[in-house]
Amino acid sequence: MFHKLAAFAFALTLALPGLSFAATPVNINKADAVTIAGSLDGIGQSKAEAIVAWRDAHGPFKSADGLAQVKGIGPATLERNRAAILLTDTTANA
């Protein structure tokens, strides 16, 4: 049974290549909760609101690892999104 499910899942990924959930770069120090939730994989509206609340209470994040201070965000979520977590606007640095 497991092999049939695995084969089906594999076939589904081949049939729907855009099905993967990739994070979209987002400035966590400026974005609102809706933008954060729509940009980071595994971050829903509730966690995004917690990120904004933590930022409002403690100031801007100094590193992506600072997100671990937000309840409900663990190492796996951080690693999955690390490349998409921005601390500044990249256009300002260009």
Side-chain angles (χ1 to χ4, degrees):
M1 177 71 172
F2 175 76
H3 296 292
K4 288 182 183 180
L5 288 175
F8 176 74
F10 180 72
L12 187 59
T13 59
L14 291 177
L16 302 170
L19 189 61
S20 66
F21 299 102
T24 303
V26 62
N27 181 338
I28 60 168
N29 286 324
K30 291 188 177 182
D32 61 10
V34 172
T35 303
I36 292 171
S39 299
L40 299 180
D41 185 30
I43 303 291
Q45 188 64 31
S46 178
K47 285 183 188 175
E49 289 171 4
I51 290 169
V52 172
W54 193 97
R55 181 183 74 203
D56 290 346
H58 299 93
F61 292 95
K62 293 178 178 34
S63 72
D65 292 325
L67 282 174
Q69 299 298 315
V70 178
K71 184 177 180 178
I73 300 180
T77 302
L78 264 176
E79 288 308 313
R80 191 167 57 242
N81 290 290
R82 189 169 296 278
I85 298 169
L86 304 177
L87 302 171
T88 61
D89 291 326
T90 56
T91 55
N93 295 335

